[in-house]
Amino acid sequence: MRHVHLSVDGQRFVRERILILESAILLDVGGEQIVIMPNTLCDIGPGVPHMWRGLPAGMLLPNGTRHSSESVMVFFYQEEVQ
């Protein structure tokens, strides 16, 4: 489901960064759906509604490869934009 991230005290929206290391995901940001390929850093601004999900195994990706059944991602939440 679409969501936003809040600071620990629940008073501010926070930025989320997702680094896709292997395979691919489908990212919905503000209602726009984008296939995110491996080795991509996604920067989702504070308060922007978003959701992500894995893709079906074997799905043909924009680069001509097939999606494996698993994705590897790193998430980072930043309370203060610097």
Side-chain angles (χ1 to χ4, degrees):
M1 81 188 329
R2 277 192 198 130
H3 61 278
V4 295
H5 297 277
L6 296 173
S7 59
V8 174
D9 63 10
Q11 300 299 309
R12 296 175 309 284
F13 292 117
V14 298
R15 172 178 311 278
E16 178 180 21
R17 289 187 171 148
I18 306 170
L19 176 60
I20 313 307
L21 298 175
E22 294 181 21
S23 205
I25 64 167
L26 180 65
L27 181 63
D28 181 312
V29 178
E32 181 179 355
Q33 294 186 349
I34 307 162
V35 174
I36 305 296
M37 299 299 290
N39 302 313
T40 302
L41 176 64
C42 302
D43 190 11
I44 302 167
V48 176
H50 63 280
M51 69 177 180
W52 61 268
R53 66 181 171 98
L55 300 171
M59 181 177 173
L60 184 62
L61 299 173
N63 67 357
T65 64
R66 297 273 175 189
H67 177 63
S68 68
S69 61
E70 297 181 3
S71 297
V72 177
M73 300 173 279
V74 176
F75 296 88
F76 175 74
Y77 303 96
Q78 184 177 9
E79 290 200 28
E80 298 296 327
V81 178
Q82 300 178 5

